[in-house]
Amino acid sequence: MSKLYVLNGPDIGQSFQLKEGANNIGRSLGNDISIQDRTVSREHLRIVKKADGYFATDLGSQNGTFIGGNYLTPGVEVEVKEGVPIAIGMTVIGIGETSLSQMMPFLDSVGLTRETGNGSGIFVAHKDKTNQKKLETLYRVSHVFEQKLPLKDALEKVLDVVVELLVQVDTAAFILIDPNTTKVDLFSHRSKELAGRPAPKFSPQVVYSVIKGKKAVIISNSETEEVENELAVTLKTNGISSVMCVPVISSSQVVGVIYLHSLKNPYGFGMEDVSLFEDIAQRTGGFIQYSQYVSELSEIMEGLNP
């Protein structure tokens, strides 16, 4: 019989045997499985073990349940595969040992195996739902890339996910370059309009710094950064309070960046956010490699056709 593993949160490291039939999960000690996390409802989730698999139902919880990054409508039973992350409150759980081998490295890479919320700026408005938001962001981004769309279409859909979920971000952009010439090959962005004027698209100085240095740049508050920081001075001049820019690497070369800024929200980004977007950048780099392969293969096939 499979076990339920607690992958993060106050009860991280614990495991519980799943019995045949219904297993009620929540904060109350009267549940079959009690999770001591104040963001978990007293009666939060039911997992039923049937002959053909596991099925989960949210019991009308306050903070909701996310399975594989997708919101679970209360009262609706859905099948749950082993190894798929289940976020309840600020705790992530999983069924089966594959949860440990597959999900723990992923959760650690984006900061979900330690206390979250304080080191994240873009999720501060959803402090009790940080884990769900991170999982939802990553899994929706992964779903976009799984569709094997044309590169520009895929990047635009990813930006739609980012600006929808991360409400404090005023501008989000992908800037892809030719690694040999550093000229911009593709620029796609989403920006909000403020006070009737369009927001600045991006800071070229920050982008150049990331491409040249091959590492992420964060400026939390352009008003309080040291005067010697020329990037902070430039951001202040352009009315940008905080910025985060992460390199996209493909075939060991910097092929672009993911760029985000906030105009009126100082301390809009933290180190947890860098971990999250480094993961997205890695997925983007892999998708770029795939897109180049498909393009080259199409050219070869066209050359073979009479």
Side-chain angles (χ1 to χ4, degrees):
M1 295 179 64
S2 292
K3 290 184 177 181
L4 184 80
Y5 292 88
V6 181
L7 305 176
N8 89 314
D11 293 335
I12 184 172
Q14 292 195 38
S15 62
F16 304 89
Q17 195 75 50
L18 290 170
K19 64 181 182 180
E20 294 287 342
N23 297 265
N24 284 359
I25 303 169
R27 197 174 72 252
S28 171
L29 295 176
N31 288 287
D32 300 297
I33 297 173
S34 179
I35 303 293
Q36 297 308 301
D37 178 346
R38 63 182 179 82
T39 64
V40 171
S41 295
R42 291 178 59 81
E43 296 178 350
H44 197 113
L45 180 70
R46 177 179 295 125
I47 295 178
V48 179
K49 186 180 186 305
K50 301 181 181 180
D52 53 346
Y54 294 92
F55 296 83
T57 305
D58 182 275
L59 302 176
S61 64
Q62 181 178 357
N63 288 324
T65 300
F66 289 79
I67 298 179
N70 298 310
Y71 177 71
L72 178 58
T73 302
V76 176
E77 185 179 74
V78 300
E79 184 175 6
V80 185
K81 299 293 186 182
E82 292 195 18
V84 173
I86 304 169
I88 55 174
M90 293 183 70
T91 291
V92 179
I93 56 179
I95 299 172
E97 291 186 358
T98 52
S99 301
L100 298 175
S101 61
Q102 295 181 15
M103 291 309 303
M104 288 298 283
F106 157 72
L107 293 173
D108 184 62
S109 72
V110 295
L112 290 176
T113 55
R114 52 187 181 270
E115 184 178 357
T116 56
N118 294 329
S120 175
I122 52 181
F123 293 104
V124 70
H126 306 277
K127 207 166 188 179
D128 286 346
K129 298 187 177 182
T130 296
N131 289 350
Q132 292 102 318
K133 284 292 181 180
K134 285 186 175 182
L135 285 170
E136 186 176 359
T137 302
L138 284 174
Y139 273 85
R140 287 180 62 179
V141 167
S142 297
H143 178 66
V144 169
F145 289 142
E146 287 169 0
Q147 297 177 53
K148 303 296 191 256
L149 299 169
L151 180 59
K152 184 174 176 60
D153 293 344
L155 297 186
E156 289 180 348
K157 282 185 174 290
V158 169
L159 291 176
D160 288 338
V161 171
V162 170
V163 297
E164 176 189 344
L165 292 175
L166 313 181
V167 295
Q168 296 193 55
V169 173
D170 292 314
T171 288
F174 278 107
I175 301 137
L176 301 188
I177 63 167
D178 181 331
N180 297 316
T181 65
T182 69
K183 290 185 177 179
V184 174
D185 270 350
L186 186 152
F187 173 62
S188 182
H189 82 285
R190 295 287 184 271
S191 293
K192 300 174 184 175
E193 289 192 6
L194 297 175
R197 65 179 181 83
K201 290 182 179 179
F202 69 97
S203 166
Q205 294 87 349
V206 170
V207 172
Y208 176 74
S209 176
V210 171
I211 292 172
K212 183 180 179 181
K214 297 183 179 181
K215 62 181 181 179
V217 165
I218 297 183
I219 295 178
S220 297
N221 187 347
S222 62
E223 292 285 344
T224 60
E225 292 281 349
E226 295 292 334
V227 176
E228 289 80 5
N229 190 331
E230 295 181 3
L231 292 179
V233 173
T234 300
L235 294 176
K236 185 176 179 180
T237 302
N238 289 322
I240 298 172
S241 291
S242 54
V243 67
M244 176 173 64
C245 191
V246 177
V248 176
I249 297 175
S250 179
S251 300
S252 303
Q253 291 183 303
V254 176
V255 296
V257 301
I258 302 175
Y259 172 96
L260 303 100
H261 76 218
S262 179
L263 297 180
K264 297 189 182 240
N265 287 295
Y267 305 105
F269 309 102
M271 292 310 299
E272 286 185 17
D273 306 321
V274 174
S275 297
L276 173 66
F277 279 90
E278 282 179 339
D279 187 284
I280 294 175
Q282 183 178 6
R283 295 165 193 260
T284 303
F287 187 77
I288 290 172
Q289 281 186 296
Y290 164 81
S291 299
Q292 291 172 339
Y293 168 76
V294 171
S295 177
E296 291 171 1
L297 185 60
S298 297
E299 291 178 2
I300 292 172
M301 294 302 293
E302 288 178 4
L304 294 175
N305 291 330

